[in-house]
């Protein structure tokens, strides 16, 4: 490990295109949030000003769905700083065959090597509920990917060319009630 807490060699942030790919990712999330907010305010306007009082009750459901999407968009933008920190510490690593379907063949998941035990694998969770980007990528048969980070906690995943940049994390990685450091990790992983 080097003095910045990362691995020897160039970190992902120093690679050409990484900062631009993360900026594109953030711009997409900001645009999505602005669209959902505009849709929410437009729905409020239509509900309060244009519709008769009898139509307000069904519009509450529409407002709830749009509000939930605003909440999800704001949460996705909050991942920017975590992704940036990972890219400043870890190098990009290539992993062919790291994207596979689950047992039912419906959802794609990552299969990354465990740094402590190379014979085992770790599957951090990809974000999203419906229409996930990585499901479409796996359906096309493009399973070659790049990742930076520690798969036992969190990592940034991208298609070659730094496209489809996303965040993948273990569900326990940032939950104070289920600290992953209690799982008997190596001293290097604890650092």
């Amino acid at each position: 490990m080097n003095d910045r807490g990362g691995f020897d060699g160039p970190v992902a942030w120093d690679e050409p295109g990484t900062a631009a790919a993360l900026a594109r990712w953030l711009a997409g999330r900001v645009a999505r949030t602005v669209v959902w907010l505009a849709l929410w305010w437009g729905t409020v306007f239509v509900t309060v000003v244009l519709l008769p009082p009898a139509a307000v009750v069904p519009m509450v459901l529409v407002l709830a769905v749009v509000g939930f999407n605003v909440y999800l968009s704001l949460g996705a933008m909050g991942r920017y700083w975590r992704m940036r920190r990972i890219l400043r510490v870890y190098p990009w690593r290539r992993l062919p065959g790291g994207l596979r379907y689950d047992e039912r063949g419906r959802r794609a998941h990552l299969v990354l090597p465990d740094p402590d035990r190379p014979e085992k694998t770790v599957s951090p969770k990809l974000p999203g509920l419906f229409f996930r980007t990585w499901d479409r990528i796996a359906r096309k048969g493009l399973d070659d990917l790049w990742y930076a980070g520690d798969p036992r906690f969190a990592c940034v995943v991208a298609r070659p060319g730094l496209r489809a940049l996303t965040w993948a994390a273990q569900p326990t990685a940032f939950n104070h009630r289920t600290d992953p450091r209690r799982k008997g990790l190596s001293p290097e992983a604890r650092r």
Side-chain angles (χ1 to χ4, degrees), residues 2 10 28 30 41 76 91 93 95 106-107 114 127 132-133 136 140 142 149 155 161 164 171-172 174 179 181:
N2 61 26
V30 168
W41 281 110
R93 295 188 177 135
L95 184 67
R106 294 184 189 166
R107 294 181 68 111
D114 186 341
R132 298 177 337 149
T133 303
R136 289 192 306 268
K140 290 179 184 176
L142 305 172
C155 54
T172 59
F174 298 101
D179 188 4
R181 290 182 177 92

Side-chain angles (χ1 to χ4, degrees), residues 38-181:
L39 185 60
W40 191 83
W41 281 110
T43 307
V44 167
F45 175 77
V46 167
T47 303
V48 173
V49 175
L50 300 178
L51 292 178
V56 170
V57 173
M59 289 303 287
V60 169
L61 178 63
V62 174
L63 282 168
V65 169
V66 174
F68 180 69
N69 282 304
V70 169
Y71 170 76
L72 290 178
S73 294
L74 288 171
M77 282 187 353
R79 293 187 198 117
Y80 170 79
W81 295 108
R82 288 181 178 172
M83 291 172 69
R84 188 171 190 263
R85 186 171 55 196
I86 287 172
L87 293 172
R88 286 186 169 274
V89 174
Y90 291 95
W92 283 115
R93 295 188 177 135
R94 182 175 179 267
L95 184 67
L99 185 63
R100 299 186 191 145
Y101 274 113
D102 61 0
E103 298 81 33
R104 296 177 289 178
R106 294 184 189 166
R107 294 181 68 111
H109 65 277
L110 298 173
V111 180
L112 303 175
D114 186 341
D116 277 343
R117 297 177 300 252
E119 70 278 358
K120 297 206 178 229
T121 60
V122 179
S123 292
K125 306 297 180 237
L126 291 165
L129 300 172
F130 305 108
F131 311 115
R132 298 177 337 149
T133 303
W134 288 95
D135 291 342
R136 289 192 306 268
I137 291 170
R139 206 172 299 121
K140 290 179 184 176
L142 305 172
D143 63 351
D144 191 25
L145 59 93
W146 290 84
Y147 76 97
D150 192 335
R152 295 165 295 188
F153 301 106
C155 54
V156 177
V157 183
R159 284 178 49 198
L162 298 176
R163 293 177 309 212
L165 199 68
T166 192
W167 163 266
Q170 293 295 344
T172 59
F174 298 101
N175 188 341
H176 67 280
R177 290 177 288 174
T178 57
D179 188 4
R181 290 182 177 92

